[in-house]
Amino acid sequence: MRRKFVAGNWKMNTLAGSATALAKGLAEGVLTTESVDVAVFPPLPYLAAVSATVAGSGVRVGAQNVYHEKPGAFTGEVSVEMLLDVGCQWVLVGHSERRHLVGECNSLVNRKLIQACERGLSVILCVGETLLERQSHQTEMVLNSQMAGSLLGVDAALMPKIVIAYEPVWAIGTGVNATPDQAESAHHHLRTWLAGRYNRMVSESTRILYGGSVKANNAKELLSLSNVDGVLVGGASLEVEGFSKIIQAARDVSR
Ligand code: PGA
């Protein structure tokens, strides 16, 4: 049975005070004995403070980005070692905002993913099609190519450190979430892809999260789908009450 995972991507939001207040509010409601995994992804400058704030609770911490080289002369970049040092267990790679706004390609995503997993972080690998790609019936082709490119050279032994997030670009930050049918069909496709590329065990044990306009009022329906193992939440993760309701929805469907 795949354990549900609720992840909150804070993106480029919060300041020191609001980041620790949000972390404190969540930590109070999420115990170490949880039936679901919970992680937050604050901006880099607040990772250490958020890690300290959630210590001893069931909330884990991840970064929104990492550099793919060992520490050295890479001005402005942040290494895996630094993220581990400030208490991160997770990192996001391949988020559509980095693919589309910063221009990260599959091969860069692949290098980041391998370096992160091999050096001690777990990874949420994001994939997803644009509206134009969906309208021109290219969704599965795009997912195949993002999965193949991002997981190039990654063998089955590394897969326990990797979670996939299906995030249709047209659903991110728009208020228009994928319908249950659209989400289930994409997740089923990704699971079948994993079976073909790896094996049945990897396909059945890898968690696939849905992301894109997840809110307290649609989380339960999405989390109930048989191939949806959790949610990656942007906007609705910035507020304790709303995010706590999404965590509660994951607990409810895990019973
Ligand atoms: P959203 O963002 O929940 O605000 O749509 C999701 C994401 O980008 O991970």
Side-chain angles (χ1 to χ4, degrees):
M1 169 104 172
R2 298 179 296 267
R3 207 172 135 86
K4 298 279 190 228
F5 189 170
V6 179
N9 173 12
W10 296 0
K11 308 193 181 186
M12 200 173 75
N13 292 297
T14 70
L15 291 171
S18 49
T20 45
L22 180 52
K24 187 164 181 288
L26 292 173
E28 280 164 5
V30 181
L31 310 176
T32 50
T33 49
E34 281 299 335
S35 54
V36 302
D37 289 336
V38 177
V40 293
F41 293 76
L44 285 170
Y46 309 131
L47 285 172
V50 168
S51 294
T53 306
V54 301
S57 79
V59 180
R60 301 278 169 267
V61 180
Q64 298 170 23
N65 187 29
V66 68
Y67 199 56
H68 55 275
E69 295 286 355
K70 299 214 167 69
F74 301 103
T75 302
E77 298 295 345
V78 170
S79 70
V80 172
E81 288 72 11
M82 293 169 190
L83 295 181
L84 291 167
D85 192 38
V86 294
C88 287
Q89 293 185 0
W90 288 92
V91 65
L92 297 180
V93 303
H95 191 279
S96 77
E97 283 149 20
R98 298 207 61 85
R99 289 181 189 268
H100 297 287
L101 302 177
V102 188
E104 289 192 5
C105 59
N106 283 326
S107 80
L108 183 59
V109 171
N110 176 244
R111 291 170 76 185
K112 290 185 175 197
L113 179 143
I114 291 174
Q115 287 305 313
C117 292
E118 285 186 345
R119 283 152 57 204
L121 287 170
S122 293
V123 165
I124 298 183
L125 165 64
C126 306
V127 293
E129 81 288 359
T130 63
L131 184 58
L132 198 63
E133 288 161 348
R134 173 162 283 268
Q135 287 169 338
S136 50
H137 308 289
Q138 291 178 328
T139 298
E140 295 188 350
M141 199 187 80
V142 170
L143 295 180
N144 292 349
S145 102
Q146 289 179 342
M147 290 289 280
S150 307
L151 292 169
L152 191 71
V154 174
D155 61 39
L158 271 191
M159 289 308 287
K161 298 204 67 93
I162 298 170
V163 167
I164 310 295
Y166 169 61
E167 296 208 302
V169 179
W170 48 271
I172 296 179
T174 58
V176 181
N177 60 289
T179 64
D181 279 355
Q182 287 170 328
E184 181 59 22
S185 147
H187 283 231
H188 179 263
H189 177 77
L190 290 167
R191 203 170 297 292
T192 308
W193 188 92
L194 287 168
R197 163 72 167 79
Y198 295 100
N199 54 50
R200 203 163 147 214
M201 206 189 81
V202 168
S203 158
E204 281 175 7
S205 57
T206 302
R207 290 182 289 184
I208 306 178
L209 316 185
Y210 168 78
S213 295
V214 175
K215 310 275 176 230
N217 62 8
N218 60 19
K220 195 160 185 177
E221 187 177 31
L222 291 159
L223 283 161
S224 306
L225 300 168
S226 61
N227 280 300
V228 173
D229 307 311
V231 284
L232 177 53
V233 185
S237 71
L238 289 169
E239 194 240 316
V240 175
E241 201 190 327
F243 195 57
S244 301
K245 285 187 182 151
I246 296 172
I247 296 168
Q248 187 55 44
R251 291 183 187 117
D252 291 347
V253 301
S254 300
R255 288 216 175 98

